[in-house]
Amino acid sequence: MKATLVIKNIDNLITLRGENKARTLEDMKDVGSIKNGIIALKGEKIIYVGEGELPSSIRIDENTVILCGKGKTVTPGLIDSHTHLVHGGSRENELAMKLKGIPYLDILAAGGGIHSTVRATKEATFEELYYKAKKSLDIMLSYGVTTVEAKSGYGIDDFSTELKQLEVAKKLNEDHPVDIISTFMGAHAIPSKYKNNPDVFVDIIVEDMIPKVAERNLAKFCDVFCEEGVFSIDQSRRILQAAKEYGMGLKLHADEIKPLGGAELAAELNCTSADHLIAASDKGIKEMAKKGVIANLLPGTSFNLQIGKYARARKILEEGVPIALSTDYNPGSCPTENLQLIMSFASLIMKLTPEEVITAVTINGAASLGLEDKVGSLEMDKLGDIVIFDAPNLEYIIYHFGINHVETVIKEGKVVYEKKL
Ligand code: NIG
Ligand code: FE
């Protein structure tokens, strides 16, 4: 067999080999490191991962791209499994309010926050949204991200804007090397029109929007902002049950700010992931463990909202819940595309080990998007989504924080990003 791309002499090859499923505490310890590793690809797929030299069954010729991993750390492409990628405008005007200590939910209740991004997204053309999101995707790719989840949710009751966001994500998925998995999140805020009768808006989401999104095949998942003053537990349940009937996978913004019982609901509904969990209860965490719901943690949001509280990552792991980590990239609660910074936060603030962190942004991120059979680890027959970090080891990437350690990104067997020297 002829290899089309080979990375050889890799000082620290982190394969994440093992079962194609979300990993829990014990299984997060061994990340399948190989010293003096070598990896060979044929087309978009991995054909060999090992130590030292290639076996004689794998040939190379003058067309084979050969990269050198001396002094480098090589990992699977990173997966950012929770973002609000496609949106109009920005919200730096909220900084002054934040510095005065005005809470996020108060800004939202006063018609700002998500509502101001809804206005900006409605006003933006398809092209404007496309190029703004593309710029963010380029940044994500440069930080080693090869798969991104992208939510709608800045149209809310204006369904054409919801569709516009999902169509932009679809087009970018076709045009851009980074893969995009779409989530329908019409239930992101209560539109002012339905302030006094939110159940009418829930009816519209359930009876009209979800069937139409499903019919157009525009979203793999459905998500709800289950929060005090936003969607209640009962409303969230109704929406997610409808989404399930239409074949969508389920996600939930659960217990982000107030302990509403989102973790319990995510377990009850067998959600693929429950995200945020800053205020999740002990009971909710235990129920998630029983059902195998992935905890998608977003420490950048705690940091940026300045709420002084982070999800209890160690407790969550010790209860047997698998953890994924994401940016939550959005213009309000977490305006950053930098997943490496989130990895440092997760370790330094939430006390996750480097092994737990890399598992959370690779195979566990893949599992939270239903992609664990395709990406998230470096093994035979998986896609050749690979990052070469200019770093001697994993600890270094996390320790030397706030900068970009990526040297090269390979997506489906092709070099798609190289750091300019
Ligand atoms: O995950 N909480 C709801 N959604 C986002 C924030 C969106 C926004 O503020 O625009 C989040 O925090
Ligand atoms: Fe979010």
Side-chain angles (χ1 to χ4, degrees), residues 6 76 87 111 121 126 132 178 180 202 225 255 259 290 303 317 323 327 376 387 409:
V6 174
H87 59 261
T121 307
F126 182 96
K132 180 172 163 56
V178 172
I180 302 176
V202 174
F225 188 14
D255 304 319
K290 266 189 236 144
F303 172 79
L317 272 184
I323 281 181
T327 57
V387 187
V409 183

Side-chain angles (χ1 to χ4, degrees), residues 82 84 91 104 113-114 117 154 185 188 225 253 256 276 301 328 330-333:
H82 179 141
H84 304 255
R91 307 225 295 269
Y104 176 81
I114 292 173
T117 301
Y154 293 117
M185 200 179 176
H188 197 193
F225 188 14
H253 278 61
E256 177 175 349
H276 286 291
T301 307
D328 195 18
N330 72 72
S333 71

Side-chain angles (χ1 to χ4, degrees), residues 273-319:
S273 71
D275 301 35
H276 286 291
L277 301 171
I278 297 165
S281 73
D282 288 358
K283 182 166 161 276
I285 294 169
K286 281 202 165 69
E287 287 172 13
M288 282 176 61
K290 266 189 236 144
K291 295 294 193 74
V293 179
I294 297 168
N296 202 342
L297 306 185
L298 313 148
T301 307
S302 291
F303 172 79
N304 184 63
L305 289 181
Q306 299 279 297
I307 48 182
K309 242 180 109 181
Y310 287 78
R312 294 179 291 159
R314 289 245 61 88
K315 160 93 183 157
I316 291 171
L317 272 184
E318 276 149 23
E319 291 290 351

Side-chain angles (χ1 to χ4, degrees), residues 183 219-223 240 243-244 246-251 271-272:
T183 296
K220 180 170 178 178
F221 290 95
C222 182
D223 195 345
L240 291 184
K244 195 174 191 172
Y246 281 89
M248 293 184 195
L250 309 184
K251 293 185 169 286
C271 287
T272 306

